[in-house]
Amino acid sequence: MKATRRIQRRANMEAVLRAAMAKPHTLSQLASKTGITRPATESVVQDLTKLGWIGPTSAPKDTPTLGRPASYFGLSKKAGLVGALDIGAHHISAALAELSGDVIAEKTGPADEGTPIRERVDLAVRLLQNLLPPRANLRICVVGAPGIHNRGKVVYFGGSGMPGLQGFELASAVKDELSVPVLTAGDCHLGARAESWRGAASGIDQVVFILAGKRTGAASVINGRVHEGQSGAAGLIGELDCLGWRTLEEETFASALYPGHAPSRDELFPLAANGDETALQAVDLYAKVLARGTAAMILALGPQAVVIGGQYSNYADLFLPTLRCELGKFCPFMPQILPSTLGEKAVLVGGIRHALDAVFDKISDHVRNSDFFPAASQVLDAED
């Protein structure tokens, strides 16, 4: 019986912590939201305050000010921050967020496709370090980069540029410089998680994400989490030549319309946006090729929504009608087809969510399997 009570106590602490992190609450509000008695809530709040998770804070801005002000409890600055890095072929971005998920700082800089991965990592880490406030407690960092990631290593990269990326121990390299736990994930996977959290598919648990950028890729969120598959390789459908996705990356999908030299997609989409008839036909061809792999993902996974992300999602209004029409020919059960609302920030946002998932997964693990509730400063001590 005592063991059961201890587990219940830790479960109560997790419930109160999650509520207080979302936004500041009074003791009565926390008790009501979690279903815990008010005296028990007060005791839990005291414990969480001692552990550095929450503390007294100001009331939310929309709180009425009539009468004596109540005491509010929310996320403590001692709880620390999470970081996210997006190491792309042509850019490097960094962001910092509180454990509530609120971003407090972010910055992006250009990168050359030919820059070796080791130099990219150094640039990315410096970018993040320059964002850190004095005496900040960074708890974890998530790094997004192209390719298939397994246990912090880029085990496969089918694109061009970014010398040294395939086979690179990315988590180890970043951890050596930041001295905090580091997780890595493919940019496509993080884009999927971002769009299902705070993007076009917010609140939807079954989501397919299609990366429509220089590279074309796919990833999925199942039951609110990225489906990684064996060795992190889920969604690698572009390897099927019969789908034609390589012709998108090789810029040959519209060659029949341009006998001499077909324009790149960077040139093609602006032309189409300005009403060029041949470019509009080429964009239709682009949509039809994109639909093949998208249909394969829909038929295999049965998602509620498909989000089109990547840089060319900025031109989604040009190709979504054809894409939806083509998908309707293959898919008897059509999901919503949505353009990204996060754009180029998707990988960073997904990295932040992935970091928060790691923190709360560790807390939940302590609730189930430990005889104590971790302090904020110790929650990820055992992470690799």
Side-chain angles (χ1 to χ4, degrees), residues 115 135 200 300:
T115 302
R135 297 179 296 281

Side-chain angles (χ1 to χ4, degrees), residues 91-369:
H91 70 276
I92 293 172
S93 303
L96 284 173
E98 296 180 333
L99 296 186
S100 62
D102 294 334
V103 176
I104 63 168
E106 61 181 296
K107 191 168 184 178
T108 297
D112 185 89
E113 190 176 47
T115 302
I117 186 60
R118 179 70 258 184
E119 292 181 34
R120 290 174 184 275
V121 168
D122 292 341
L123 290 169
V125 169
R126 284 200 298 272
L127 203 61
L128 184 63
Q129 289 172 330
N130 289 337
L131 295 178
L132 282 168
R135 297 179 296 281
N137 296 310
L138 184 64
R139 301 299 182 202
I140 185 173
C141 181
V142 169
V143 186
I148 302 302
H149 297 233
N150 187 33
R151 298 180 181 274
K153 180 179 180 179
V154 183
V155 294
Y156 178 78
F157 175 56
S160 60
M162 303 186 73
L165 180 60
Q166 180 157 318
F168 188 71
E169 296 281 359
L170 186 56
S172 177
V174 176
K175 184 177 181 179
D176 286 345
E177 297 197 42
L178 290 178
S179 299
V180 299
V182 173
L183 300 175
T184 77
D187 51 3
C188 222
H189 285 179
L190 293 181
R193 188 67 180 97
E195 295 290 350
S196 69
W197 178 41
R198 289 186 170 174
S202 176
I204 299 177
D205 288 337
Q206 319 291 335
V207 178
V208 162
F209 178 79
I210 301 297
L211 178 66
K214 294 285 189 182
R215 294 175 300 107
T216 308
S220 61
V221 168
I222 298 176
N223 297 328
R225 292 296 182 94
V226 171
H227 177 61
E228 296 184 352
Q230 179 182 337
S231 301
L236 199 61
I237 59 170
E239 296 300 301
L240 288 171
D241 285 338
C242 60
L243 297 179
W245 275 16
R246 290 188 188 279
T247 68
L248 301 180
E249 297 177 5
E250 294 166 356
E251 311 286 6
T252 59
F253 64 94
S255 295
L257 295 174
Y258 296 93
H261 174 68
S264 69
R265 287 165 294 170
D266 286 345
E267 300 165 320
L268 189 67
F269 281 111
L271 287 171
N274 287 324
D276 183 278
E277 287 296 330
T278 306
L280 286 168
Q281 293 177 47
V283 168
D284 276 348
L285 291 177
Y286 174 85
K288 289 176 180 179
V289 176
L290 192 66
R292 298 174 198 164
T294 305
M297 293 292 289
I298 293 171
L299 293 169
L301 298 172
Q304 299 160 284
V306 173
V307 179
I308 308 299
Q311 69 187 87
Y312 301 129
S313 66
N314 294 328
Y315 297 97
D317 59 315
L318 295 175
F319 64 82
L320 278 192
T322 300
L323 180 66
R324 291 190 178 106
C325 180
E326 288 297 303
L327 291 174
K329 298 176 183 178
F330 302 120
C331 306
F333 299 96
M334 276 284 288
Q336 301 178 69
I337 310 297
L338 307 168
S340 167
T341 58
L342 295 174
E344 295 177 355
K345 293 185 178 182
V347 176
L348 281 182
V349 173
I352 290 166
R353 182 65 259 178
H354 195 43
L356 297 176
D357 288 341
V359 171
F360 279 106
D361 285 350
K362 199 66 176 179
I363 290 172
S364 296
D365 184 60
H366 275 286
V367 169
R368 294 189 302 268
N369 302 312

Side-chain angles (χ1 to χ4, degrees), residues 16-26 29-30 33 54 57-60 62-63 72-75 100 102:
V16 169
L17 176 58
R18 286 179 179 270
M21 278 187 171
K23 71 173 187 177
H25 288 76
T26 65
Q29 289 170 342
L30 287 170
K33 191 173 185 68
I54 64 175
T57 188
S58 56
D62 57 351
T63 303
Y72 281 79
F73 295 88
L75 186 66
S100 62
D102 294 334

